[in-house]
Short mmCIF file of all heavy atoms in Angstrom, two decimals:
data_model
loop_
_atom_site.label_atom_id
_atom_site.label_comp_id
_atom_site.label_asym_id
_atom_site.label_seq_id
_atom_site.Cartn_x
_atom_site.Cartn_y
_atom_site.Cartn_z
N VAL A 193 187.20 67.85 95.84
CA VAL A 193 187.86 69.12 95.63
C VAL A 193 187.88 69.44 94.19
O VAL A 193 188.14 68.60 93.33
CB VAL A 193 189.31 69.05 96.14
CG1 VAL A 193 189.96 70.44 95.95
CG2 VAL A 193 189.33 68.74 97.62
N PHE A 194 187.51 70.62 93.83
CA PHE A 194 187.50 71.06 92.42
C PHE A 194 188.51 72.12 92.21
O PHE A 194 188.42 73.22 92.85
CB PHE A 194 186.08 71.55 92.06
CG PHE A 194 185.03 70.53 92.46
CD1 PHE A 194 184.20 70.71 93.51
CD2 PHE A 194 184.86 69.37 91.73
CE1 PHE A 194 183.25 69.80 93.92
CE2 PHE A 194 183.88 68.43 92.07
CZ PHE A 194 183.11 68.67 93.21
N LEU A 195 189.44 71.87 91.33
CA LEU A 195 190.65 72.65 91.20
C LEU A 195 190.59 73.47 89.87
O LEU A 195 190.15 72.90 88.88
CB LEU A 195 191.78 71.64 91.14
CG LEU A 195 193.25 72.14 91.04
CD1 LEU A 195 193.51 72.93 92.29
CD2 LEU A 195 194.15 70.95 90.92
N ASP A 196 191.00 74.69 89.91
CA ASP A 196 191.13 75.40 88.68
C ASP A 196 192.01 76.60 88.79
O ASP A 196 192.31 77.05 89.92
CB ASP A 196 189.74 75.87 88.15
CG ASP A 196 189.69 76.04 86.62
OD1 ASP A 196 190.79 76.11 86.02
OD2 ASP A 196 188.59 76.14 86.04
N ASN A 197 192.38 77.14 87.65
CA ASN A 197 193.10 78.36 87.55
C ASN A 197 192.27 79.45 88.18
O ASN A 197 191.08 79.52 88.02
CB ASN A 197 193.36 78.67 86.09
CG ASN A 197 193.88 80.01 85.81
OD1 ASN A 197 193.18 80.97 85.91
ND2 ASN A 197 195.17 80.07 85.50
N ASP A 198 192.93 80.37 88.89
CA ASP A 198 192.17 81.39 89.65
C ASP A 198 191.30 82.27 88.77
O ASP A 198 190.19 82.66 89.19
CB ASP A 198 193.07 82.17 90.56
CG ASP A 198 194.35 82.62 89.86
OD1 ASP A 198 194.42 82.42 88.63
OD2 ASP A 198 195.24 83.10 90.51
N ALA A 199 191.79 82.62 87.58
CA ALA A 199 191.03 83.56 86.74
C ALA A 199 189.75 82.85 86.29
O ALA A 199 188.66 83.52 86.22
CB ALA A 199 191.86 83.97 85.58
N ASN A 200 189.79 81.58 85.99
CA ASN A 200 188.62 80.87 85.61
C ASN A 200 187.54 80.90 86.72
O ASN A 200 186.37 80.97 86.52
CB ASN A 200 188.93 79.40 85.24
CG ASN A 200 189.57 79.29 83.92
OD1 ASN A 200 189.45 80.23 83.07
ND2 ASN A 200 190.22 78.19 83.65
N LEU A 201 188.03 80.80 87.97
CA LEU A 201 187.13 80.77 89.07
C LEU A 201 186.40 82.13 89.20
O LEU A 201 185.21 82.13 89.53
CB LEU A 201 187.87 80.45 90.40
CG LEU A 201 188.51 79.07 90.35
CD1 LEU A 201 189.18 78.75 91.67
CD2 LEU A 201 187.45 78.01 90.08
N VAL A 202 187.11 83.19 88.98
CA VAL A 202 186.44 84.48 89.03
C VAL A 202 185.38 84.58 87.93
O VAL A 202 184.30 85.06 88.15
CB VAL A 202 187.47 85.61 88.92
CG1 VAL A 202 186.72 86.95 88.87
CG2 VAL A 202 188.44 85.57 90.08
N ALA A 203 185.73 84.02 86.81
CA ALA A 203 184.74 84.02 85.71
C ALA A 203 183.50 83.20 86.13
O ALA A 203 182.35 83.68 85.87
CB ALA A 203 185.34 83.40 84.45
N LYS A 204 183.71 82.14 86.81
CA LYS A 204 182.62 81.32 87.30
C LYS A 204 181.78 82.15 88.27
O LYS A 204 180.51 82.11 88.21
CB LYS A 204 183.18 80.12 88.00
CG LYS A 204 182.25 79.02 88.22
CD LYS A 204 182.18 78.04 87.09
CE LYS A 204 181.11 78.37 86.09
NZ LYS A 204 181.16 77.47 84.95
N ALA A 205 182.44 82.86 89.17
CA ALA A 205 181.71 83.63 90.13
C ALA A 205 180.89 84.74 89.43
O ALA A 205 179.73 84.96 89.78
CB ALA A 205 182.68 84.26 91.14
N GLU A 206 181.47 85.37 88.46
CA GLU A 206 180.72 86.38 87.72
C GLU A 206 179.50 85.77 87.04
O GLU A 206 178.44 86.36 86.97
CB GLU A 206 181.61 87.01 86.63
CG GLU A 206 182.76 87.88 87.17
CD GLU A 206 182.29 89.21 87.71
OE1 GLU A 206 181.04 89.47 87.74
OE2 GLU A 206 183.14 89.96 88.21
N HIS A 207 179.64 84.51 86.56
CA HIS A 207 178.54 83.89 85.85
C HIS A 207 177.43 83.52 86.84
O HIS A 207 176.25 83.70 86.54
CB HIS A 207 179.04 82.67 85.11
CG HIS A 207 177.99 82.15 84.15
ND1 HIS A 207 177.70 80.81 84.02
CD2 HIS A 207 177.25 82.82 83.22
CE1 HIS A 207 176.78 80.67 83.10
NE2 HIS A 207 176.46 81.84 82.62
N LEU A 208 177.77 83.02 88.00
CA LEU A 208 176.75 82.56 88.91
C LEU A 208 176.15 83.72 89.71
O LEU A 208 175.00 83.81 89.96
CB LEU A 208 177.33 81.52 89.89
CG LEU A 208 177.57 80.15 89.37
CD1 LEU A 208 177.95 79.19 90.51
CD2 LEU A 208 176.30 79.63 88.67
N PHE A 209 177.04 84.66 90.15
CA PHE A 209 176.57 85.68 91.13
C PHE A 209 176.77 87.10 90.68
O PHE A 209 176.24 88.00 91.27
CB PHE A 209 177.31 85.45 92.46
CG PHE A 209 177.23 84.08 93.01
CD1 PHE A 209 178.38 83.39 93.28
CD2 PHE A 209 176.01 83.49 93.21
CE1 PHE A 209 178.30 82.08 93.81
CE2 PHE A 209 175.91 82.22 93.68
CZ PHE A 209 177.08 81.52 94.02
N GLY A 210 177.57 87.33 89.65
CA GLY A 210 178.01 88.67 89.36
C GLY A 210 177.43 89.25 88.12
O GLY A 210 176.31 89.02 87.75
N GLU A 211 178.28 89.97 87.39
CA GLU A 211 177.86 90.69 86.22
C GLU A 211 177.56 89.77 85.05
O GLU A 211 177.03 90.17 84.01
CB GLU A 211 178.96 91.66 85.79
CG GLU A 211 179.29 92.67 86.88
CD GLU A 211 178.19 93.72 86.99
OE1 GLU A 211 177.44 93.85 86.08
OE2 GLU A 211 178.16 94.37 88.07
N GLY A 212 177.96 88.48 85.16
CA GLY A 212 177.72 87.59 84.04
C GLY A 212 176.44 86.78 84.21
O GLY A 212 176.14 85.86 83.40
N ARG A 213 175.62 87.10 85.20
CA ARG A 213 174.38 86.37 85.44
C ARG A 213 173.43 86.45 84.21
O ARG A 213 172.74 85.51 83.91
CB ARG A 213 173.73 86.85 86.67
CG ARG A 213 173.61 85.83 87.78
CD ARG A 213 172.92 86.40 88.97
NE ARG A 213 173.37 87.81 89.19
CZ ARG A 213 172.80 88.61 90.07
NH1 ARG A 213 171.78 88.19 90.78
NH2 ARG A 213 173.25 89.86 90.22
#
Side-chain angles (χ1 to χ4, degrees):
Chain A
V193 180
F194 309 104
L195 182 64
D196 204 347
N197 171 287
D198 46 8
N200 283 343
L201 296 183
V202 175
K204 195 90 267 175
E206 292 287 0
H207 192 227
L208 285 188
F209 306 124
E211 300 288 340
R213 245 179 318 171

